[in-house]
Amino acid sequence: MQRLQAFKFALMPTGEQERQMRRFAGACRFVFNKALALQKERYAQGEKKLGYTGLCKELTAWRNGSETPWLKDAPVHPLQQALKDLERAYTHFFAKRAGFPRFRKKGQHDSFRYPDPKQIKLDQENSRIFLPKLGWLRYRNSREVLGTVKNATVSQYCGRWFVSIQTEREVEQPVPQATTAVGIDLGVVRFATLSDGTVYAPLNSFRRHEEALRKAQQALARKTKFSNNWKKTKAKVRRIHARIANARRDYLHKTTTTISQNHAMVCIEDLRVRNMSRSAAGTAEAPGRNVRAKSGLNKSILDQGWFEFRRQLDYKLAWRGGHLITVPPQNTSRTCPCCGHVSAENRQTQARFACVECGFEEHADLVGAINILRAGHVRFACEVSGAVMPPAAGTHRSASRAAQCRT
């Protein structure tokens, strides 16, 4: 089977190469914004949206025009890739997978991509890579790049430049080494509770650096905008944000790697994080209640990185031959795993579960993980057999099973 994988390294450019990369990223940002403005103008005039081919013709005119002759200094392929990014953004918008494309800002996600592998030369022995109009760049060679190079993306993050090399290689069909299945209940007090009793404590990366970030942002607000001191303080704020994100990403990678190595099937809830972290402020006509408490809960939810956790589990399990099963989150923490009784009264507190029907008691997160595992087994069996999904777990209960639980 074919495996696409990206290898990301920190670049060590010279001063001239760093200036060139800033120019190339700025040129790609300019082309994206100019093309987006053109599309909005055509829409306002009732004209049809230009496709990628039409935008490429406009790009040729911009490069040869007298207003923007500096676009010729940038390689043409990354500029064309900026137009492809815009076309992809429109596709996602019309498919209702994302919002309307927005103009790019300087300093936010500055990057450019080389799509032609013939123009990229990788010298791993000497830890350097050749990119058009940049020449040979040194990079921190932390691991071996496996496979055939397909493209390379240069990006800036927290004042440093990185290169992401995407490769393609043929691998054998993976066979899972583990044979167990596990359900995972995600939370805030406990980051992840597994159905086998394993508990992963939350890292709370943002909470750990919140005080330092608050002081840095207050100092930034007191500075004159765009002054030298303002730029230094802004760089400090950026470094704190990078530290928060790096710590969270490192923790998620370690956790998902451990889980994917030890289990062949993982069942998790299909959580809608955007809906769960929606503000409770309401409107002026209908103000919300418990706004401050909900705001703190939203901050804690977003600090966990649940979507990234699911994304990493998905591809790591696939690489090892495992399966990731998502189940509906309804009533997973209200259903008794012993008798199947469903009631909001079963979960008396955030942590304590006590079934009002059979008296079964256990930690609420562990109960949720057990129910998620059972629902995952049912869903996986239906997917394999092609059968219609039965009603959600907990909608029916057996009287004999309840009697057994009472005894």
Side-chain angles (χ1 to χ4, degrees), residues 145-156:
V145 177
L146 305 176
T148 306
V149 177
K150 302 297 291 183
N151 59 64
T153 302
V154 180
S155 60
Q156 186 185 32

Side-chain angles (χ1 to χ4, degrees), residues 23-39 52 54-63 68 70-87 90 102-104 111-112:
R23 295 189 188 103
F24 296 169
C28 292
R29 181 176 62 252
F30 174 84
V31 169
F32 182 93
N33 291 341
K34 191 172 180 64
L36 178 57
L38 177 63
Q39 298 284 37
Y52 171 70
L55 291 176
C56 285
K57 293 181 180 179
E58 295 292 333
L59 175 61
T60 303
W62 298 338
R63 284 168 57 87
T68 54
W70 45 269
L71 285 178
K72 282 188 175 182
D73 298 335
V76 65
H77 285 173
L79 300 180
Q80 293 174 347
Q81 290 298 301
L83 299 179
K84 280 196 172 183
D85 291 342
L86 178 61
E87 184 68 18
Y90 267 105
R102 294 180 294 181
F103 292 103
R104 293 181 175 177
S111 64
F112 53 95

Side-chain angles (χ1 to χ4, degrees), residues 88-102 274:
R88 189 179 302 110
Y90 267 105
T91 302
H92 291 328
F93 169 70
F94 290 129
K96 297 183 179 180
R97 292 192 295 265
F100 189 80
R102 294 180 294 181
R274 177 177 295 181

Side-chain angles (χ1 to χ4, degrees), residues 332-398:
T332 54
S333 61
R334 298 179 176 181
T335 304
C336 178
C338 189
C339 67
H341 179 68
V342 183
S343 174
E345 299 176 355
N346 286 346
R347 190 165 186 175
Q348 300 180 359
T349 64
Q350 183 66 25
R352 183 171 179 266
F353 179 93
C355 181
V356 297
E357 184 74 11
C358 67
F360 175 80
E361 293 188 12
E362 188 53 83
H363 196 283
D365 293 341
L366 180 58
V367 170
I370 294 173
N371 290 327
I372 291 169
L373 176 60
R374 291 181 177 179
H377 275 301
V378 175
R379 179 171 289 272
F380 181 73
C382 292
E383 289 179 358
V384 172
S385 62
V388 180
M389 277 292 297
T395 55
H396 303 288
R397 66 183 181 93
S398 170

Side-chain angles (χ1 to χ4, degrees), residues 126-143:
N126 297 311
S127 303
R128 60 178 188 165
I129 183 173
F130 179 86
L131 298 175
K133 292 198 175 184
L134 286 175
W136 289 100
L137 291 96
R138 296 179 62 223
Y139 68 92
R140 296 191 179 275
N141 194 358
S142 57
R143 57 175 174 167

Side-chain angles (χ1 to χ4, degrees), residues 142-278:
S142 57
R143 57 175 174 167
E144 182 183 1
V145 177
L146 305 176
T148 306
V149 177
K150 302 297 291 183
N151 59 64
T153 302
V154 180
S155 60
Q156 186 185 32
Y157 177 67
C158 193
R160 301 178 62 191
W161 289 92
F162 298 84
V163 60
S164 179
I165 306 169
Q166 188 183 53
T167 64
E168 183 182 43
R169 69 181 189 273
E170 187 74 23
V171 297
E172 296 182 359
Q173 187 68 30
V175 178
Q177 301 298 319
T179 58
T180 58
V182 69
I184 301 179
D185 181 79
L186 298 176
V188 174
V189 179
R190 290 180 169 187
F191 170 69
T193 304
L194 277 58
S195 57
D196 59 4
T198 306
V199 176
Y200 290 94
L203 180 65
N204 293 331
S205 178
F206 179 81
R207 295 288 189 182
R208 293 185 179 186
H209 299 85
E210 187 174 13
E211 184 64 20
L213 181 61
R214 181 183 64 83
K215 291 181 179 179
Q217 289 177 333
Q218 287 178 346
L220 179 66
R222 291 192 292 265
K223 299 291 188 295
T224 303
K225 205 168 185 179
F226 301 117
S227 65
N228 289 333
N229 287 334
W230 180 86
K231 293 178 181 178
K232 293 178 183 178
T233 310
K234 187 175 179 62
K236 183 177 180 180
V237 173
R238 186 168 60 237
R239 286 194 298 269
I240 297 175
H241 276 297
R243 194 177 302 121
I244 294 171
N246 291 338
R248 183 187 297 120
R249 190 181 303 110
D250 177 74
Y251 180 74
L252 293 176
H253 270 296
K254 291 177 179 177
T255 306
T256 53
T257 298
T258 302
I259 295 175
S260 61
Q261 288 175 344
N262 297 332
H263 303 284
M265 187 175 79
V266 177
C267 308
I268 62 174
E269 293 175 300
D270 187 14
L271 299 176
R272 296 291 185 263
V273 181
R274 177 177 295 181
N275 296 340
M276 295 175 64
S277 59
R278 187 170 293 168

